[in-house]
Amino acid sequence: MWAVAAIQVKKKVDTGPQSSEQAYFDKAQKALDRGQYLDATKSLEAIDTYYPTGQYAQQAQLELLYSKFKQKDYEGAIALAERFIRLNPQHPNVDYAYYVRGVSNMEMNYDSLLRYTSLQQSHRDVSYLKVAYQNFVDLIRRFPSSQYSVDAAQRMKFIGQELAESEMNAARFNVKRKAWIAAAERSQWVIEHYPQTPQVPEALATLAYSYDQLGDKATSQQYIEVLKLNYPSLVNKNGTVNMRAARKEGNWINRATLGILGRESKSVTPDTTTSSETEPKRSLLNRVSFGLIGNSGKEETEETTNTPVEAPKSERSWTNRLSFGLLDKPEPKAAEGATIAPATSSSEAPSASPADNEADDAAQ
């Protein structure tokens, strides 16, 4: 006979706060300083639960938002940010909640393993990026002078490039399917909504190519003229669009070898000198002995005329040397071609200039 044992499940009963609000907050701050975000979350959640109107209630909500983000609990961070914005719209730090909400939505779009591969997230679902873009727009519109507005603008620029690449990836797929109207619409969207992104040249080329395939030569030629003015390398000599250059694709050898072979050769300017020309010549004995024997082959250069020459030393008598230069001083010798002017004493008046002599004669 089988005995059925009743399993009693112990229910966890909430017995209320175990510490004061100040103790919970201090414990959370110490945990945050040590990077122990799980312990900090427990203390901050206790403040949010037991002291919703306490002294540290709003600050604890902001700290909890940060702790959730550091734990990569982006969904929890987004929920807390939206709640803080709804309950505290006039809080002086509400812009931080707007900022963390946008960054969390941005991080939600990137898988933890995908970011370490060569795959592009823009070729996958970008719905979270669109939400993050709108979050940053709200932040900049409501708080243009916020300390987070500059970083939000930079993130918007990056997200714009990702969204433009997503549209162009769809346009490339439509070109392969020969869905020319769909490809043109995707490219037109990039030009209208993301005009500052690097995908604009490819979008213009795709528009010109799609309209040409549709038979609308006039519209295609208009876009080709725009390409000639702004991106002439994307137009062939015969006036057609170079789609390979627009997509920045390599040749078939480069694609088959995954970019190892078939790379473009770098041209060398004729002014460049090789290292063999600059290296000094070494003798055979010096090379065989690995530089231990024989000269290094470095030619000694003569001193140039610009090198300063030491002044000639005057000959001194034995009396001058014994008296440490006090007696029998040698007379200075003038250099060749140079004249030494006699020193005039202060009592003698300087000679008059020719103009003064002429004035004296006229007075007489």
Side-chain angles (χ1 to χ4, degrees):
M1 182 177 181
W2 295 92
V4 180
I7 302 175
Q8 296 181 357
V9 179
K10 295 183 179 180
K11 295 182 179 180
K12 188 176 181 180
V13 180
D14 189 1
T15 58
Q18 303 297 322
S19 302
S20 63
E21 181 185 8
Q22 183 68 46
Y24 275 126
F25 188 78
D26 294 341
K27 184 179 179 181
Q29 291 297 320
K30 292 179 181 179
L32 288 174
D33 294 339
R34 293 192 297 264
Q36 300 173 353
Y37 300 109
L38 183 60
D39 296 338
T41 300
K42 294 179 180 179
S43 299
L44 294 171
E45 286 178 344
I47 297 176
D48 190 32
T49 302
Y50 301 123
Y51 305 97
T53 59
Q55 179 183 0
Y56 301 102
Q58 295 179 345
Q59 183 63 29
Q61 292 176 10
L62 291 175
E63 298 285 355
L64 182 60
L65 193 156
Y66 170 76
S67 181
K68 289 285 186 181
F69 179 82
K70 295 299 290 185
Q71 294 180 72
K72 298 184 179 181
D73 184 7
Y74 302 123
E75 293 181 353
I78 294 170
L80 289 172
E82 291 179 348
R83 189 189 71 164
F84 188 87
I85 293 171
R86 184 177 65 255
L87 298 178
N88 307 282
Q90 303 299 327
H91 194 274
N93 295 327
V94 70
D95 57 339
Y96 178 74
Y98 278 92
Y99 175 71
V100 175
R101 183 180 64 172
V103 176
S104 298
N105 276 309
M106 188 175 177
E107 292 294 331
M108 285 281 290
N109 201 83
Y110 294 95
D111 186 79
S112 58
L113 297 178
L114 187 64
R115 66 180 65 212
Y116 299 106
T117 64
S118 59
L119 300 177
Q120 297 186 23
Q121 182 62 40
S122 57
H123 296 172
R124 296 173 177 266
D125 184 23
V126 292
S127 57
Y128 283 106
L129 285 180
K130 295 179 180 179
V131 177
Y133 190 91
Q134 188 60 42
N135 293 151
F136 292 133
V137 169
D138 294 340
L139 170 62
I140 295 177
R141 183 186 296 117
R142 293 175 181 270
F143 309 98
S145 59
S146 173
Q147 59 179 331
Y148 309 107
S149 297
V150 176
D151 185 74
Q154 294 295 327
R155 291 178 180 272
M156 288 176 61
K157 182 179 179 180
F158 171 77
I159 293 175
Q161 295 180 5
E162 292 287 282
L163 296 178
E165 177 60 27
S166 177
E167 295 293 332
M168 288 311 304
N169 184 57
R172 298 184 199 108
F173 176 75
N174 291 324
V175 168
K176 291 181 180 179
R177 292 176 55 247
K178 297 183 179 181
W180 310 117
I181 296 178
E185 289 179 350
R186 294 279 187 172
S187 303
Q188 188 69 33
W189 180 271
V190 171
I191 295 174
E192 291 179 357
H193 294 85
Y194 311 108
Q196 304 297 329
T197 58
Q199 287 76 17
V200 169
E202 183 183 355
L204 289 171
T206 305
L207 274 172
Y209 184 74
S210 299
Y211 279 111
D212 181 70
Q213 295 297 321
L214 289 171
D216 191 351
K217 303 295 183 181
T219 306
S220 176
Q221 189 61 34
Q222 291 179 1
Y223 287 108
I224 290 177
E225 294 298 330
V226 175
L227 288 173
K228 287 181 179 180
L229 292 175
N230 298 277
Y231 312 100
S233 61
L234 303 185
V235 181
N236 296 322
K237 294 181 179 179
N238 57 0
T240 59
V241 180
N242 189 351
M243 291 300 296
R244 175 174 293 181
R247 297 176 182 175
K248 299 179 181 179
E249 295 180 353
N251 53 26
W252 67 271
I253 300 177
N254 184 265
R255 295 195 298 270
T257 59
L258 302 179
I260 298 176
L261 302 178
R263 291 176 292 184
E264 297 181 358
S265 60
K266 297 181 180 179
S267 58
V268 181
T269 57
D271 294 335
T272 56
T273 58
T274 59
S275 59
S276 60
E277 296 177 358
T278 58
E279 293 180 355
K281 296 181 179 180
R282 300 168 58 188
S283 63
L284 178 61
L285 182 61
N286 184 264
R287 291 195 298 269
V288 172
S289 61
F290 300 100
L292 299 178
I293 304 175
N295 57 359
S296 59
K298 296 181 180 179
E299 299 180 357
E300 297 181 358
T301 58
E302 297 181 355
E303 294 181 355
T304 59
T305 55
N306 295 331
T307 305
V309 182
E310 295 182 358
K313 298 180 180 179
S314 59
E315 297 180 358
R316 299 171 59 190
S317 63
W318 65 272
T319 308
N320 183 266
R321 288 194 293 269
L322 290 177
S323 61
F324 300 101
L326 298 178
L327 302 177
D328 196 11
K329 297 181 181 180
E331 296 180 359
K333 296 182 179 180
E336 295 182 358
T339 57
I340 301 177
T344 57
S345 61
S346 58
S347 59
E348 296 179 357
S351 58
S353 62
D356 295 338
N357 295 333
E358 293 178 0
D360 294 340
D361 296 340
Q364 293 177 359

